[in-house]
Amino acid sequence: MRPIQKRTIATLFFFLLCACTYAQHITLPDLYDEGMTMQRGRNHKLQGITDPGMSVEVKWQGKSYKTNADRDGRFSIAIPTGKAGGPYELKIGNRIIKNVFVGDVFLCSGQSNMELPMSRCEDLYRDIIDSYSNSQIHIVKTPRTFRLDEPNDIYSVKKNNASLWVEPKPQTNGSIGAVTFFFAKKYQETYGVPVGIINSSVGGSPVEAWISEDSLAKCQLYYNKLLMAKDADYVKSCQVMGAKSNQVWQGLAKKYIKDFEESNNVFGNKTATSADTGWQPASLFSPDWARGAEGNINGIHAFRKVINVTAEQAAQGGLLRMGCIVDADEIFVNGKQIGSTSYQYPPRKYKIPAGTLKAGENIIYIRLTSYGGTPSFVTEKPYKIVLQNSEIDLSNGWEHKLIQQMPSPQGAPDFMMTPAALYKGMLAPVLDWGYSGAVWYQGESNVGRANEYEKMLKLLISDWRARISEPLPFVIIQLANFLHPQSPDQAAQQALRNAQRRVAETIPSCAWVYTGDLGEWNDIHPLQKKEVGERVQAAFEKIK
């Protein structure tokens, strides 16, 4: 072979090698991963980033589709998803995604009752959590984030190493939102097609946080709140001041706790008595320790109880249940901390490791921190230690002492709840995925403004439908009954429920789910989520 021919062949090989290398530089959104589910019967837009001008080939169900990246390296191409089925393989350039499904996909959003995981409902659904599996269901919980300036795009839905699409199985069931779990389960069992859920929800979020900036321009109050939050210097100064305020508050609290626990021999070997230490008998459920002549006693409270256990009981591990506590708690058994919770809503369930209890007297000690409102132990909840074959009642026999009364901490505004902030951060990246419908479970944070809720929820629905540019059946889950029947706040809650119902009755392709019979007066997060999810599935049957 002549030298020039050798050089020509070498040159061609070099360029082919470079071309193959360049084709591998493809970035795909994190939603493009194992278990991804696309809406059946639609043209699904695939997106990615590669080198500018690069040709990208997509292979799907035996067919090939080609496109070119633009000058910024971005590309998009629509592929027909076809009929329900899977698992399939999707190839984008040299990237291969396995276990891809086609079925019905739903967007679920709202606040904590939509977010609440199965693990929080384990008292009712332990058997289901431990046994249920379904490879035809895949559920995404979008990570919490917010934006105050430009909306995120689909590349901002971050993950760790595992796929964002979670398949129900005993190892994962506890982490899946309970409403989405039972809705997907009932829907898949009813229609026999793969089901995908994208759950984009945040506890405590108001309706205005989930509406786009353009639509909020019709509501000057909320629009101007957003404009204020767009000032980076303002946001930074608030955050710095809030952090400093919290640092000072926590520093004082730690000092008061240290002084109190040392002077009262809290973790010593002696059992102090109320007569010689100032501890007073107290009912957990009485307002006497929580309120004084000038109102609520916020700050840090101490509670103590002595229990007696047998040698057999002491050899066991156990579970300490202390209902729900307003606001935060740290709980110790014989000087060993067994658990803590930083806010009021989660049920207190703390494991007592084997070897923590001892035969004879044992001391349970609680630090309760109240940041505002009335500190309390929520009534009609379980307060006990659960052992292998016995239980120890913890609902009475306590002593109390105030560690220190303190003002409420003055933190920074929660900018995550700014109007449009969650829309920009969590909804914008996933709105154009393609959906069979949307489910909305929210309202607790807007109860005090029920008179405007109908207007705001209608705005949200029209906003989402305009962005998605396709029919979007919409199901609204009404707020469950909460608070004591005689509470003066019941009227405001009912006003918001009425607003939810009116929206569903006046907007086309919209339905509402009644949950008034599923509420718990003493828990804003009622546990009967199976009934809620199944009623959502039934509601879609009416509007499909």
Side-chain angles (χ1 to χ4, degrees):
M1 184 180 293
R2 295 177 181 177
I4 190 169
Q5 291 178 316
K6 291 182 178 181
R7 288 197 298 271
T8 301
I9 292 172
T11 301
L12 287 172
F13 178 78
F14 173 77
F15 281 114
L16 284 171
L17 180 63
C18 289
C20 292
T21 302
Y22 287 138
Q24 294 176 3
H25 294 168
I26 290 180
T27 299
L28 298 177
D30 284 333
L31 280 175
Y32 295 18
D33 208 337
E34 287 200 21
M36 68 178 280
T37 306
M38 298 183 288
Q39 178 58 41
R40 59 175 166 166
R42 303 280 176 85
N43 288 323
H44 189 93
K45 184 174 74 172
L46 299 174
Q47 304 175 61
I49 301 174
T50 186
D51 296 312
M54 180 68 66
S55 176
V56 179
E57 182 180 21
V58 174
K59 292 185 178 180
W60 169 247
Q61 294 193 25
K63 294 185 178 181
S64 176
Y65 307 86
K66 293 183 179 180
T67 188
N68 293 314
D70 63 18
R71 66 179 61 185
D72 296 319
R74 290 180 178 256
F75 67 87
S76 67
I77 185 170
I79 61 169
T81 56
K83 297 180 180 180
Y88 301 118
E89 182 177 284
L90 172 64
K91 186 175 182 181
I92 306 174
N94 69 326
R95 298 284 299 276
I96 298 175
I97 306 169
K98 298 180 182 290
N99 294 323
V100 176
F101 294 83
V102 175
D104 286 340
V105 185
F106 295 87
L107 175 63
C108 297
S109 188
Q111 55 185 106
S112 54
N113 270 303
M114 181 64 84
E115 196 174 31
L116 197 77
M118 286 287 286
S119 59
R120 285 277 294 273
C121 307
E122 65 176 351
D123 285 354
L124 295 183
Y125 308 123
R126 184 74 262 171
D127 289 346
I128 295 176
I129 292 172
D130 289 343
S131 63
Y132 186 74
S133 296
N134 192 330
S135 63
Q136 297 290 297
I137 296 173
H138 295 86
I139 299 174
V140 170
K141 176 61 176 73
T142 57
R144 287 189 176 200
T145 187
F146 69 100
R147 288 290 292 270
L148 300 173
D149 44 22
E150 293 303 312
N152 283 331
D153 63 18
I154 196 168
Y155 301 96
S156 68
V157 185
K158 301 299 181 186
K159 68 173 184 181
N160 296 318
N161 293 323
S163 174
L164 285 166
W165 297 90
V166 176
E167 176 186 316
K169 57 181 69 172
Q171 301 95 314
T172 62
N173 288 335
S175 66
I176 298 173
V179 170
T180 62
F181 177 95
F182 285 114
F183 166 49
K185 179 177 182 293
K186 182 66 174 179
Y187 192 97
Q188 201 284 321
E189 292 170 354
T190 300
Y191 294 105
V193 299
V195 175
I197 302 282
I198 295 181
N199 182 358
S200 189
S201 53
V202 173
S205 59
V207 63
E208 62 270 16
W210 298 101
I211 301 174
S212 72
E213 179 175 350
D214 291 345
S215 292
L216 280 176
K218 303 172 186 177
C219 306
Q220 288 300 305
L221 173 62
Y222 297 122
Y223 186 67
N224 285 316
K225 285 185 176 181
L226 172 59
L227 292 183
M228 287 185 64
K230 281 187 168 186
D231 187 312
D233 291 337
Y234 165 68
V235 171
K236 184 176 181 180
S237 64
C238 288
Q239 291 173 334
V240 169
M241 182 64 71
K244 183 61 178 178
S245 173
N246 184 65
Q247 180 186 28
V248 173
W249 197 96
Q250 293 294 341
L252 283 172
K254 288 179 180 179
K255 176 183 181 302
Y256 292 135
I257 290 170
K258 181 176 182 294
D259 292 346
F260 172 86
E261 291 175 350
E262 287 181 353
S263 63
N264 283 267
N265 193 33
V266 167
F267 300 119
N269 297 320
K270 296 188 300 180
T271 301
T273 64
S274 58
D276 60 19
T277 67
W279 293 80
Q280 296 296 323
S283 167
L284 297 181
F285 313 113
S286 169
D288 292 347
W289 61 267
R291 293 183 58 83
E294 298 178 357
N296 296 324
I297 303 175
N298 302 127
I300 312 156
H301 297 258
F303 291 85
R304 186 188 66 172
K305 177 178 174 63
V306 177
I307 61 171
N308 283 278
V309 302
T310 65
E312 180 183 0
Q313 291 173 322
Q316 306 170 15
L319 179 70
L320 185 143
R321 302 200 58 168
M322 284 301 294
C324 291
I325 300 174
V326 183
D327 290 301
D329 66 273
E330 300 162 277
I331 299 184
F332 301 78
V333 174
N334 293 330
K336 179 183 294 185
Q337 184 170 344
I338 61 166
S340 65
T341 303
S342 61
Y343 66 110
Q344 63 177 290
Y345 295 117
R348 273 49 171 186
K349 301 178 183 179
Y350 302 140
K351 291 182 179 180
I352 303 175
T356 303
L357 296 172
K358 59 185 181 181
E361 286 191 346
N362 294 257
I363 300 177
I364 303 173
Y365 173 70
I366 301 175
R367 292 188 203 128
L368 183 154
T369 302
S370 170
Y371 299 113
T374 304
S376 65
F377 292 82
V378 178
T379 61
E380 298 183 25
K381 295 285 185 182
Y383 292 85
K384 59 187 177 181
I385 292 177
V386 181
L387 300 168
Q388 289 179 9
N389 301 308
S390 61
E391 295 183 351
I392 300 173
D393 180 32
L394 300 180
S395 63
N396 53 47
W398 290 86
E399 294 180 314
H400 166 263
K401 193 171 184 181
L402 178 65
I403 295 179
Q404 189 64 235
Q405 186 171 6
M406 296 185 69
S408 297
Q410 301 300 309
D414 189 350
F415 288 105
M416 178 175 279
M417 306 308 173
T418 300
L422 294 175
Y423 174 93
K424 293 184 177 191
M426 296 174 63
L427 268 183
V430 300
L431 267 183
D432 65 353
W433 186 259
Y435 299 101
S436 187
V439 186
W440 178 250
Y441 196 173
Q442 188 276 340
E444 296 91 343
S445 291
N446 288 89
V447 164
R449 297 170 280 145
N451 60 323
E452 67 177 20
Y453 193 77
E454 182 176 353
K455 168 188 172 183
M456 298 302 294
L457 185 51
K458 286 181 176 179
L459 183 61
L460 178 143
I461 295 171
S462 63
D463 182 37
W464 291 14
R465 286 177 170 174
R467 307 285 164 175
I468 291 174
S469 300
E470 62 187 32
L472 184 70
F474 205 96
V475 169
I476 302 164
I477 303 174
Q478 276 194 315
L479 293 188
N481 289 335
F482 174 56
L483 301 176
H484 193 277
Q486 304 303 318
S487 171
D489 295 326
Q490 280 285 3
Q493 291 217 0
Q494 187 57 48
L496 191 129
R497 282 191 284 268
N498 291 340
Q500 292 174 316
R501 175 179 50 80
R502 287 193 299 269
V503 170
E505 291 174 348
T506 56
I507 289 184
S509 298
C510 196
W512 60 282
V513 170
Y514 174 72
T515 61
D517 58 330
L518 304 178
E520 301 173 25
W521 76 266
N522 61 353
D523 200 330
I524 202 169
H525 303 119
L527 298 185
Q528 291 180 270
K529 294 296 192 278
K530 179 175 183 288
E531 291 81 354
V532 176
E534 292 180 349
R535 290 178 190 182
V536 170
Q537 185 273 328
F540 273 114
E541 288 187 352
K542 298 177 182 178
I543 58 178
K544 271 187 171 290

